[in-house]
Amino acid sequence: MRKKILYIIPFLFIFVFLLKITCLDVKAATIPIPKIDIKMDGASTPKDYVNNIQMLIWLTILTLLPSFIIMMTSFTRIIVVFGFLRSAMGTQQSPPNQVLIGLALFLTVFIMAPVYKQINQNAIQPYLNNKITQQQAIDTGSKPLRQFMLKQTRTKDLKLFTDSAGIDKNTTNDNMPLYVVVPAFTISELKTAFQIGFLLYIPFLVIDLVVASVLMSMGMFMLPPVMVSLPFKLLLFVMVDGWYMIVQSLIKSFG
């Protein structure tokens, strides 16, 4: 009798499980699904259609906002330097990527604040108050950003893209197209970040060499030098107040 009960119990569980799934399907089928539709109603003149199309274009441009933040601000140099710092110390995933990216973003906001104030004062606010047109706002707002990028761009890098694009030699920095300034600024930022990263590696490399030499002289070949040198790297970084020095150097490098 007990064996029969043991055989029946699994079938009962399966039956109850299937019954619940059927009930859920029936309930899901009775839930109404809202209709989603995108229309441009109320447009009676061609100008209304143009304004709606411009709105769609601006929404599309917003999807490229992260690229603008990375390529046209100080974010590139800061995040690359932080990456070199973590690699030089050998801490692997500490600090985590979220912390480094967040700190890099706030430092970018701090460094780019004067540029944003000029753009807001000379372009955004007059455009919102209908004092200038959209094209005038774009031209006026791009000037402070162009000046910031050209200040950090090497002449050699800028010449590379001006020659490749066939830009007239009489073109001044105020009239330099952004599609030339942005890539020149980016490779200049990468070069500067790599130079800072090289300087960051030197003290930690010395610690690795000293620790490896001591371990070899003691005959401790099986002990990884990285495991022993990591505490000394952290101690050195804390004693010299490393975060303060790195952030201060980054801010002053854009001065």
Side-chain angles (χ1 to χ4, degrees):
M1 184 68 180
R2 292 181 179 179
K3 291 183 179 180
K4 291 183 179 180
I5 294 174
L6 292 175
Y7 283 120
I8 294 172
I9 289 176
F11 290 102
L12 288 175
F13 277 114
I14 295 172
F15 175 76
V16 173
F17 179 73
L18 293 175
L19 183 62
K20 287 185 177 181
I21 292 178
T22 305
C23 293
L24 290 175
D25 291 338
V26 172
K27 290 181 180 180
T30 58
I31 296 175
I33 300 176
K35 295 181 179 180
I36 300 175
D37 191 8
I38 299 176
K39 295 182 179 180
M40 294 188 297
D41 295 331
S44 58
T45 62
K47 183 179 179 181
D48 295 334
Y49 284 104
V50 171
N51 292 332
N52 291 330
I53 293 173
Q54 288 179 348
M55 179 63 67
L56 292 176
I57 293 174
W58 279 112
L59 292 176
T60 304
I61 293 175
L62 286 178
T63 60
L64 302 176
L65 186 61
S67 300
F68 290 128
I69 294 176
I70 293 173
M71 308 302 280
M72 302 176 68
T73 62
S74 58
F75 181 83
T76 302
R77 183 188 303 185
I78 296 172
I79 195 63
V80 172
V81 169
F82 285 166
F84 277 123
L85 173 64
R86 188 170 64 180
S87 300
M89 294 183 65
T91 54
Q92 297 180 357
Q93 295 299 322
S94 182
N97 291 331
Q98 292 85 348
V99 175
L100 294 181
I101 294 174
L103 179 58
L105 283 174
F106 278 102
L107 285 176
T108 301
V109 172
F110 177 80
I111 293 171
M112 300 298 296
V115 179
Y116 169 74
K117 289 180 181 178
Q118 294 182 22
I119 296 174
N120 183 56
Q121 182 178 358
N122 300 328
I124 297 177
Q125 293 302 325
Y127 175 71
L128 294 178
N129 295 327
N130 296 323
K131 294 181 179 179
I132 59 176
T133 62
Q134 180 178 345
Q135 186 60 40
Q136 290 176 337
I138 294 174
D139 295 337
T140 305
S142 62
K143 288 181 179 179
L145 193 60
R146 184 186 293 107
Q147 292 175 357
F148 170 81
M149 289 189 291
L150 288 174
K151 187 178 180 181
Q152 308 298 329
T153 304
R154 293 175 174 82
T155 305
K156 180 181 178 181
D157 297 331
L158 183 62
K159 188 175 184 301
L160 169 65
F161 289 96
T162 53
D163 294 343
S164 301
I167 303 297
D168 188 5
K169 294 182 179 180
N170 296 325
T171 303
T172 61
N173 290 340
D174 295 334
N175 299 325
M176 192 68 65
L178 286 178
Y179 68 86
V180 173
V181 177
V182 173
F185 168 75
T186 303
I187 62 175
S188 294
E189 287 293 281
L190 289 175
K191 183 177 181 179
T192 304
F194 273 61
Q195 291 174 344
I196 299 174
F198 170 75
L199 297 176
L200 286 174
Y201 258 95
I202 292 177
F204 299 116
L205 181 60
V206 172
I207 294 177
D208 286 332
L209 292 174
V210 172
V211 170
S213 300
V214 172
L215 292 178
M216 290 181 64
S217 63
M218 296 175 62
M220 303 175 68
F221 298 101
M222 300 302 294
L223 184 62
V226 178
M227 184 181 299
V228 181
S229 63
L230 181 57
F232 294 101
K233 292 179 181 179
L234 294 176
L235 179 62
L236 174 65
F237 192 74
V238 172
M239 288 180 63
V240 301
D241 201 358
W243 286 113
Y244 173 84
M245 295 179 63
I246 290 175
V247 172
Q248 183 187 41
S249 301
L250 286 172
I251 293 174
K252 288 185 176 181
S253 66
F254 289 97

